[in-house]
Amino acid sequence: KDNMTSVPAAMYWCSIFLIGEWANVDFTYAGSRLCIFYVFFGIAMFTIPVGIIAEAVQNAITAEDQEQKMVMAMLGKANKGKTSQASA
């Protein structure tokens, strides 16, 4: 509790806990800021590609739904044309 007095301090200790390499940790101010930068870089490295993939999947689902609606509308118009021709 005493070490995690602020958000940057908590991020620093969280990165140390995630890495698990206590012997290789630089406990200076510059080392802690570099460790926080690594945390942000690691988060960005995984979240940006995941966001791109999720958006692509969402766009594909939306496009498929629109295409399905268009096909149903075309089939509906075709069926209406056939019934009006049959009755005439």
Side-chain angles (χ1 to χ4, degrees), residues 58-78:
Q58 180 182 6
N59 289 340
I61 291 171
T62 304
E64 183 179 346
D65 187 43
Q66 289 175 349
E67 184 179 340
Q68 204 169 34
K69 286 179 183 177
M70 286 176 41
V71 167
M72 293 304 255
M74 286 181 193
L75 288 175
K77 287 180 184 178

Side-chain angles (χ1 to χ4, degrees), residues 10 23 30 35 38 47 57 68 71 79 82:
C35 197
Y38 284 151
T47 57
V57 168
Q68 204 169 34
V71 167
N79 288 337
K82 287 181 182 178

Side-chain angles (χ1 to χ4, degrees), residues 1-61:
K1 275 185 169 179
D2 295 334
N3 293 328
M4 298 186 197
T5 57
S6 65
V7 173
M11 289 172 58
Y12 173 61
W13 284 102
C14 179
S15 64
I16 290 174
F17 291 144
L18 289 174
I19 294 170
E21 294 292 332
W22 288 93
N24 297 331
V25 175
D26 182 13
F27 288 100
T28 63
Y29 180 80
S32 68
R33 298 307 172 238
L34 182 64
C35 197
I36 290 170
F37 170 75
Y38 284 151
V39 168
F40 279 129
F41 182 74
I43 291 169
M45 191 160 182
F46 287 103
T47 57
I48 291 172
V50 167
I52 292 170
I53 291 169
E55 184 179 1
V57 168
Q58 180 182 6
N59 289 340
I61 291 171

